[in-house]
Amino acid sequence: MMMNRYPMGAMRAIFAACLLFSTAAYAASQIENVEGSPIPDGLSDEQIVKTMQTGGMVRGWIIKQLEPGHLEATIYVRSHMAKVDIHYDAAAYSILYNDSEDLGYKNGKIHRNYNKWVKNLDMDIQRAFAML
């Protein structure tokens, strides 16, 4: 009969510590909205929408217009989904949290990758505007 090097209680404690650490890292970030990102002067509403859609497509965001001045952008990554509202006028836009699935959203905190995805969306939209 083979002897186990670690008592069962120690194994449970190690497992619990690992679980606690991974859960804390999973949903550790406060949601960071993007506010006041600039839009170049002189663009029509249609140009603004199309440029934002082009920028979003770079990383797989699906952007649809709900009404003038309001877009909804959704991204699916593996089992995760993030949805944001993009409110804009002729001068600037903001990207605000709307909904998510499998990102551990609770009390304004979410999986740290969400903020990366939103920052990348903003950066890709800015690059698309710069190419006009």
Side-chain angles (χ1 to χ4, degrees), residues 13-64:
I14 291 169
F15 177 75
C18 290
L19 184 63
L20 180 63
F21 177 75
S22 67
T23 302
Y26 179 76
S29 294
Q30 190 73 30
I31 287 180
E32 297 174 17
N33 291 315
V34 172
E35 301 200 30
S37 278
I39 293 175
D41 291 335
L43 299 179
S44 69
D45 189 69
E46 183 178 337
Q47 288 173 306
I48 292 170
V49 171
K50 294 235 183 262
T51 304
M52 287 187 179
Q53 288 172 329
T54 299
M57 283 190 310
V58 170
R59 295 179 205 261
W61 287 89
I62 301 163
I63 301 178
K64 62 182 179 179

